[in-house]
Amino acid sequence: MMGRRLAVSAYRMAARAFPGRHRHQYQHEMIDAFERELRSLMARGALATFAFVAAACFDAIVTGVRERRRDRRWRLGAAWSAVDVVLAWRMLLRYPGLTVVGVCGISVGIAIAATAFTIVAALTNPRLPLPAGERVVSLLNRDASTGNRELRVLRDYTWWRAMKTVDDIGVTRTVQRNLITDGRPHELVTVAEISASAFRVARVAPLRGRVLIPADQQPGAPEAIVIGYGEWVRRFGSDPNIIGRSIQLGSTTYAIVGVMPDGFAFPLYHSYWIPWRIEASAYGPRSGPSVSVFGRLASGTTIEDAQAELTAIGQRIAADSPDTHERLRPQVVPYTYAFSDMDDPQNALALYAIELAIVLLLVIVCVNVAVLVYARIARRQDEIAVRGALGASRRRIVVQLFVEALMLAGIAAATGVGLASVALQQLDGSMLIVAGRVLPFWITLRLSPTGVLYVVALTLVAAGIVGVIPALAATRRDVYTRLKTLSSGGGARMQMGRVWTTLIVAQVALTVALLPTSMFHAWAALRFQIGDPGFASDEMLTAQLALDRTTVAATAEGEREFATQFAAAHRELERRLHEESTVGEITFSMVGPGEERAVVLEIEGRAVPFDGVRYNIVEGSPRGHLVRFNRVAIDFFDAFEVPVLMGRGFRTSDVEIGDAITPGVLVNRAAVETLFAGTNPLGARVRYVGRSRETGERDVVLQRWYEIVGVVPDFPAPGPMEAERVSRVYHAATFGDVYPAEMALRVRSRDPVAFADRFRAISAAVDPNLQLRSVETVEMTLKREQGLMRLVGVTVGLVILSVVVLSAAGMYALMSFTVSQRRREIGIRAALGAERHRILTGIFARAITQLAIGAGVGLLGALVLEQVLEGEMMQGQDALFLPLVILMIAGVGLLAAVGPARRGLRVEPTEALREQ
Amino acid sequence: LLPLKHATYQVLLALDDGERMHGYAIMQAVTDMTGGRESILPGTLYAALARMVDEGLVEESWPRGDDPSGGPPRRYYRRTAFGRAVARAESERLRALLDVARAQNMLGHRK
């Protein structure tokens, strides 16, 4: 007896291996059958009995586990029934408000996330589209003390070439040359001066003719050039007899020896390749032009092997030339890393952090939509209760709600991908404008298959948050309780829990706190324009003037010779331009107006400000005033018709010659007000103590004293939204002082741009090696910047819009919930003859108070933020933007309340009471 | 459905046409019809029955009156026409194999 009970218990335990559904149906019968069999076997002896019990238990466990597995497979399969999809579709149509809000919010989130992913992937994990591109490497030198890359590695290249682990080591640099073709205006083109080994490294065969060969590099060899597919088609009409045709770059005529296939732009974005002829051994260590060195890993070696060999070579060089190489660390990196700074893990980390922040933004958006979905589920409680009572498990209901959310998120993802593609296209275009050239050939800002997978993953996460969380919260109680609430007809059903309410209120607070700033920035970006730059911007044609440097050796003496040559060419160009009838004033400067470079300034006899300048100061001290400086021709202000307000204008004696005199400088009005508190600055002496990264070593002289001799207005005039006033200091310059020179000429014709071709022709006549870069009117430059800012503005605006829409949705959910929760109460009040407005205030008092608290907290936050950041956020425009935001939120809140209020007032007293 | 799982085939054969049997009776029928050479354990049996109900091979019903054999109420099972057809198809399939075995003198002669 005892043994039988034990055996049954053992079997009962074993039967627990079966899934619950199966146990629920069959367990007692299984045990009954087991017990009967056991009884009949006990007569046959202990051994037979024991064998049966063991076999039956084992069988129950094995079969049970198998059933469980089968069950799970079935459940997964059944989870996706067509009915769910149809139901989900109907729900989307039945609640169009929720669908629109959800799709808008999530699609903007996904669009931003997908765009960010594509950019980050392009930057952090670029794939070189060459055969075995992952084995192509860059060799570079990094200064261990500053972390900066040393680009003058021509001498190092001669030593690195001995490496065994890297094959075909080559060198290249990018130069700009005037392309001179008969009957066409001269054009500036970007040319790669490159070792012949580059084509072996790239492993790409030419489409026509041949690639460059080592013989082309020999001094005295015929000048050979290889051109890109695009140039061949565009400029030479796909001429089949292109090989052997000649092409003039600057003063040199080259014979075309080959055409590369479409898409080939090695080393960066090039479509002209000329042989490398610079004799590397002519340069000392850490001198000469900036170049890039590349190669291909020898077969069977790894990048680590190459690094080990290069490090050894680097140590030998450092021992031989400690002055220049002691702190230099040579590195072997995947080819593209040399152009993206991504070998620094910190940079990559920063990018990933931004990506994560964007995903968090999406999560916030989804949580908002989840609040709405929760509110909607509240209205579907009856349906869910009935389905539960009819046997649908909690899991089944959650799956259905998940499918609904997935459909919503799916539509949003499709929209988001569309938005992202448009944004990426725009970005690709605007980057081209910003950089003034195309992106490296391996960067394509297009959504990749991995990007699509990322979007799919985000969609699943979004659907999880939007569907599963509210569904779990709504189905927490068991079927019985749910049915009970169904029969009681409302009353205390689902509750807008404290968490949800807090969430909505916190969101309103956050919106109010951050909206003014983002609105300000979006508005500023959209309205960006230098309203009236203070001169006729459409008449001023500007261009950067440079001279082809290949003709001169890069030594100190060569440098001086070059400056003299450039000054002569510049002077001659101005003289010839003056002969043109349409050309008025001509002048030049180091950089264009508004592009001045940052430096740290100290005023003689005045205390240095306690705080350091928070700017990119790479040399000297950050203790002083941050100002921007420019070197300008003596007639610069006259040419731009800018008057001198105080003191005098420039004289020839103000040009820095020798150390004997103190050169005179001009400052702008902002400098007088900021640095001198409005007092007379004339006669004060100033000097520079620090240099920023953007300011070249040769551009600025530190520690030399200058005397302020005059004051000019703020030029260019600050834009309407520009609250920060920039202090500027101007130095006098003459021909040859600045290189390259920023020329500006007044063209008195209806279309100054039409003069550009004549301008180029005159320049080429002076010297074919004289280059005119980006010839355009000031107005064109401004418009281009405006276009870019507009893109930024639209993006920020879209984000703001989705935040506002989501906030409104949250408020709507809260109000809507309040109404459905208090249906009975409204009915009773209406039955008792309460006035409509009293009912309304009664219902919404609490919700409105909560939202008002949120808005108040947000307002406080905005003010505190403004104080802490010393007006940086809205630049003193808070008086305009804060009330605007409050008005907007109040308006949105009222709009959100209209629907629920109308629903509340439509409650029929009799119906509401009957429900009780 | 073919080839059938061994347990499914056993159950289909044990349920004779028109007869309603409960689980334990099926277990006994399997043992009896094979002369004690084969048996089926309760875990396998009920897993097979559950699946066979889903597939329409057997019908499940509750007895109208009290169970004459005593104990808790038990489900009764009956082979459906479809179940019979499937068992027949499986038998045909096995016969084809048996014919091969017989042709190779693997079966010997029945006593």
Side-chain angles (χ1 to χ4, degrees):
Chain A
M1 183 68 185
M2 179 75 181
R4 203 175 76 202
R5 218 180 279 163
L6 199 69
V8 170
S9 298
Y11 191 70
R12 199 187 294 275
M13 286 287 288
R16 291 192 72 85
F18 278 90
R21 185 178 54 86
H22 191 278
R23 281 209 314 274
H24 180 68
Q25 272 189 302
Y26 299 111
Q27 191 178 24
H28 68 275
E29 285 180 48
M30 275 166 68
I31 291 169
D32 179 56
F34 171 81
E35 217 173 335
R36 282 167 195 259
E37 185 72 12
L38 188 68
R39 243 182 268 149
S40 73
L41 279 172
M42 280 170 100
R44 285 205 231 160
L47 194 67
T49 312
F50 180 74
F52 169 71
V53 171
C57 286
F58 182 71
D59 169 69
I61 292 170
V62 170
T63 319
V65 169
R66 201 179 295 147
E67 285 298 301
R68 248 178 216 275
R69 237 183 263 157
R70 190 170 150 256
D71 224 34
R72 197 170 302 142
R73 275 203 300 273
W74 174 83
R75 224 184 286 135
L76 278 179
W80 291 92
S81 71
V83 179
D84 281 332
V85 177
V86 174
L87 266 180
W89 180 245
R90 277 201 204 138
M91 282 301 148
L92 291 186
L93 295 182
R94 208 173 127 192
Y95 299 96
L98 172 65
T99 308
V100 169
V101 169
V103 166
C104 284
I106 299 176
S107 62
V108 170
I110 286 188
I112 296 174
T115 310
F117 178 85
T118 307
I119 295 171
V120 171
L123 293 178
T124 53
N125 194 20
R127 208 188 62 81
L128 199 60
L130 293 176
E134 71 285 351
R135 295 191 63 80
V136 180
V137 290
S138 288
L139 308 184
L140 48 94
N141 256 340
R142 209 172 271 286
D143 192 319
S145 56
T146 61
N148 288 339
R149 197 176 148 194
E150 175 56 78
L151 289 162
R152 296 165 298 173
V153 291
L154 203 49
R155 192 56 188 267
D156 305 74
Y157 159 69
T158 58
W159 295 317
W160 293 345
R161 263 196 306 193
M163 284 178 77
K164 298 271 186 299
T165 49
V166 181
D167 288 340
D168 295 324
I169 295 179
V171 62
T172 182
R173 68 166 186 157
T174 298
V175 290
Q176 291 196 302
R177 297 284 182 83
N178 282 325
L179 176 70
I180 300 163
T181 37
D182 293 330
R184 277 191 196 232
H186 303 163
E187 200 180 323
L188 200 65
V189 293
T190 304
V191 180
E193 213 173 336
I194 198 163
S195 307
S197 71
F199 296 91
R200 287 200 301 277
V201 168
R203 291 190 182 166
V204 174
L207 188 69
R208 272 164 196 278
R210 63 167 174 89
V211 293
L212 296 177
I213 49 173
D216 295 326
Q217 291 176 208
Q218 298 307 315
E223 301 285 355
I225 188 167
V226 172
I227 63 170
Y229 180 85
E231 295 298 295
W232 175 54
V233 171
R234 195 165 63 87
R235 212 179 289 275
F236 298 97
S238 310
D239 178 9
N241 302 315
I242 185 77
I243 306 304
R245 274 183 69 171
S246 60
I247 185 172
Q248 190 185 343
L249 294 181
S251 50
T252 316
T253 304
Y254 293 85
I256 297 173
V257 297
V259 178
M260 293 309 287
D262 195 13
F264 181 83
F266 190 81
L268 267 178
Y269 37 68
H270 296 85
S271 42
Y272 289 96
W273 297 269
I274 56 172
W276 182 266
R277 290 246 174 107
I278 298 176
E279 189 42 66
S281 51
Y283 294 90
R286 236 177 155 168
S287 72
S290 298
V291 298
S292 304
V293 179
F294 54 83
R296 188 177 266 277
L297 290 175
S299 69
T301 60
T302 63
I303 204 159
E304 289 78 24
D305 298 337
Q307 182 62 61
E309 189 184 7
L310 190 64
T311 305
I313 294 176
Q315 281 162 353
R316 276 205 303 279
I317 301 173
D320 292 346
S321 324
D323 296 348
T324 53
H325 278 66
E326 197 180 358
R327 289 172 305 166
L328 288 186
R329 303 282 174 272
Q331 290 178 326
V332 183
V333 294
Y335 181 74
T336 56
Y337 281 30
F339 306 94
S340 68
D341 279 344
M342 277 308 132
D343 52 331
D344 183 354
Q346 285 215 324
N347 289 343
L349 216 61
L351 284 179
Y352 289 132
I354 293 173
E355 213 172 349
L356 188 72
I358 288 171
V359 171
L360 280 181
L361 180 84
L362 180 66
V363 169
I364 293 174
V365 169
C366 290
V367 168
N368 268 294
V369 181
V371 174
L372 283 180
V373 169
Y374 185 73
R376 188 188 64 179
I377 292 176
R379 287 165 66 183
R380 288 166 64 189
Q381 271 290 282
D382 301 356
E383 173 203 326
I384 290 169
V386 170
R387 289 198 59 195
L390 289 177
S393 64
R394 185 182 182 199
R395 183 179 285 123
R396 195 74 202 75
I397 293 172
V398 171
V399 163
Q400 192 213 320
L401 293 171
F402 174 72
V403 172
E404 282 180 36
L406 193 62
M407 201 164 232
L408 185 86
I411 296 173
T415 319
V417 166
L419 280 176
S421 309
V422 173
L424 286 170
Q425 242 170 33
Q426 290 278 323
L427 218 58
D428 214 2
S430 49
M431 272 180 146
L432 201 136
I433 293 168
V434 173
R437 58 193 179 196
V438 286
L439 291 168
F441 71 105
W442 57 84
I443 290 185
T444 39
L445 288 185
R446 226 173 292 137
L447 205 59
S448 62
T450 336
V452 173
L453 273 183
Y454 181 71
V455 169
V456 170
L458 287 182
T459 310
L460 286 176
V461 170
I465 297 173
V466 170
V468 176
I469 296 177
L472 287 178
T475 55
R476 201 177 294 141
R477 281 168 297 163
D478 58 27
V479 175
Y480 178 69
T481 322
R482 270 187 266 152
L483 272 180
K484 214 165 60 176
T485 57
L486 174 63
S487 61
S488 74
R493 295 173 166 201
M494 271 171 70
Q495 303 223 324
M496 197 71 164
R498 220 170 263 167
V499 178
W500 294 110
T501 313
T502 314
L503 217 69
I504 294 171
V505 171
Q507 166 156 335
V508 169
L510 206 69
T511 311
V512 174
L514 295 180
L515 212 55
T517 315
S518 11
M519 253 168 74
F520 165 77
H521 284 289
W523 194 49
L526 283 173
R527 286 205 40 184
F528 175 83
Q529 50 191 353
I530 299 179
D532 175 16
F535 57 93
S537 61
D538 56 335
E539 275 185 10
M540 294 304 279
L541 195 65
T542 60
Q544 198 181 51
L545 185 71
L547 186 65
D548 198 334
R549 271 197 126 142
T550 48
T551 48
V552 184
T555 56
E557 196 188 330
E559 220 33 69
R560 271 195 298 278
E561 193 185 319
F562 179 78
T564 316
Q565 194 186 342
F566 179 66
H570 189 178
R571 192 175 283 119
E572 175 62 14
L573 179 62
E574 274 209 6
R575 193 190 64 75
R576 292 209 196 174
L577 282 171
H578 274 304
E579 288 171 3
E580 297 290 313
S581 58
T582 51
V583 176
E585 295 86 344
I586 306 171
T587 188
F588 70 90
S589 54
M590 181 178 82
V591 287
E595 308 276 315
E596 296 83 358
R597 300 296 153 84
V599 279
V600 184
L601 180 98
E602 192 187 299
I603 305 166
E604 191 183 31
R606 285 190 185 227
V608 173
F610 181 74
D611 280 335
V613 170
R614 275 174 288 173
Y615 204 79
N616 221 341
I617 302 302
V618 290
E619 190 189 340
S621 160
R623 298 276 307 276
H625 305 277
L626 181 73
V627 298
R628 294 184 175 266
F629 94 109
N630 199 356
R631 295 179 179 280
V632 301
I634 290 167
D635 56 0
F636 181 78
F637 292 106
D638 295 339
F640 278 98
E641 293 173 352
V642 174
V644 175
L645 301 175
M646 258 175 108
R648 60 169 177 84
F650 280 130
R651 291 185 194 135
T652 324
S653 59
D654 293 324
V655 177
E656 295 179 47
I657 304 165
D659 299 331
I661 55 155
T662 303
V665 293
L666 300 184
V667 293
N668 69 347
R669 195 197 278 266
V672 176
E673 280 160 24
T674 322
L675 311 182
F676 294 92
T679 58
N680 185 352
L682 296 183
R685 298 212 311 164
V686 295
R687 67 174 172 182
Y688 300 123
V689 292
R691 173 174 72 85
S692 73
R693 190 183 291 273
E694 65 190 32
T695 315
E697 239 173 284
R698 271 177 284 186
D699 294 336
V700 65
V701 185
L702 296 188
Q703 304 300 343
R704 178 168 192 177
W705 287 107
Y706 299 99
E707 185 188 335
I708 297 174
V709 295
V711 178
V712 289
D714 291 346
F715 170 74
M721 301 297 295
E722 219 174 304
E724 181 205 9
R725 298 191 59 187
V726 184
S727 303
R728 295 187 172 95
V729 181
Y730 297 93
H731 297 249
T734 182
F735 296 107
D737 278 357
V738 294
Y739 182 86
E742 194 70 31
M743 285 185 78
L745 42 145
R746 191 179 298 276
V747 181
R748 299 191 202 283
S749 90
R750 231 182 275 158
D751 183 11
V753 185
F755 184 72
D757 287 342
R758 176 84 191 121
F759 190 9
R760 286 200 188 91
I762 296 170
S763 151
V766 170
D767 185 341
N769 290 324
L770 206 52
Q771 298 169 0
L772 285 179
R773 297 173 187 166
S774 43
V775 185
E776 57 186 13
T777 60
V778 176
E779 195 185 39
M780 282 162 75
T781 320
L782 294 178
K783 273 204 175 135
R784 204 178 46 202
E785 279 170 22
Q786 216 168 316
L788 194 68
M789 292 305 276
R790 208 159 272 167
L791 185 70
V792 173
V794 167
T795 313
V796 178
L798 260 178
V799 174
I800 292 176
L801 194 71
S802 37
V803 167
V804 170
V805 166
L806 283 168
S807 246
M811 290 191 248
Y812 174 83
L814 192 66
M815 306 267 188
S816 183
F817 220 93
T818 314
V819 169
S820 37
Q821 266 183 327
R822 300 174 71 173
R823 243 172 98 77
R824 262 192 315 159
E825 186 193 325
I826 297 169
I828 294 169
R829 282 185 174 206
L832 292 177
E835 284 170 47
R836 289 179 145 222
H837 76 267
R838 296 207 125 192
I839 298 180
L840 280 186
T841 26
I843 312 170
F844 291 125
R846 205 180 131 149
I848 287 177
T849 315
Q850 285 169 341
L851 294 179
I853 291 172
V857 169
L859 201 62
L860 212 66
L863 285 172
V864 168
L865 215 64
E866 188 69 6
Q867 283 298 310
V868 169
L869 296 175
E870 291 163 2
E872 287 246 330
M873 303 287 276
M874 282 173 278
Q875 303 184 356
Q877 304 274 344
D878 42 347
L880 174 64
F881 281 92
L882 282 181
L884 203 70
V885 166
I886 293 170
L887 264 177
M888 201 161 120
I889 288 288
V892 167
L894 280 178
L895 266 177
V898 167
R902 284 181 54 187
R903 234 170 336 109
L905 289 177
R906 270 208 304 267
V907 173
E908 285 291 327
T910 43
E911 255 179 52
L913 289 171
R914 203 183 316 130
E915 281 173 9
Q916 198 178 10
Chain B
L1 285 170
L2 299 186
L4 283 183
K5 285 206 167 118
H6 190 63
T8 310
Y9 193 47
Q10 282 177 326
V11 173
L12 281 177
L13 292 180
L15 287 168
D16 215 347
D17 277 349
E19 206 171 333
R20 285 173 188 274
M21 294 165 94
H22 56 68
Y24 181 58
I26 297 173
M27 277 172 67
Q28 284 177 316
V30 168
T31 315
D32 292 346
M33 75 187 183
T34 57
R37 271 184 294 192
E38 290 199 9
S39 63
I40 186 165
L41 291 164
T44 306
L45 173 70
Y46 278 97
L49 282 173
R51 201 162 39 231
M52 289 165 80
V53 170
D54 284 346
E55 289 166 347
L57 298 174
V58 296
E59 266 173 9
E60 197 181 68
S61 62
W62 295 90
R64 287 198 195 97
D66 281 347
D67 196 316
S69 62
R74 289 174 291 188
R75 289 177 178 79
Y76 279 72
Y77 297 90
R78 195 173 65 90
R79 189 167 69 191
T80 62
F82 177 60
R84 187 185 159 77
V86 170
R88 195 188 158 86
E90 176 69 1
S91 307
E92 292 287 345
R93 189 183 70 81
L94 290 173
R95 185 164 67 187
L97 288 174
L98 280 175
D99 285 346
V100 177
R102 196 168 289 131
Q104 296 178 0
N105 278 329
M106 282 186 181
L107 285 176
H109 295 285
R110 276 177 182 256
K111 284 172 198 166

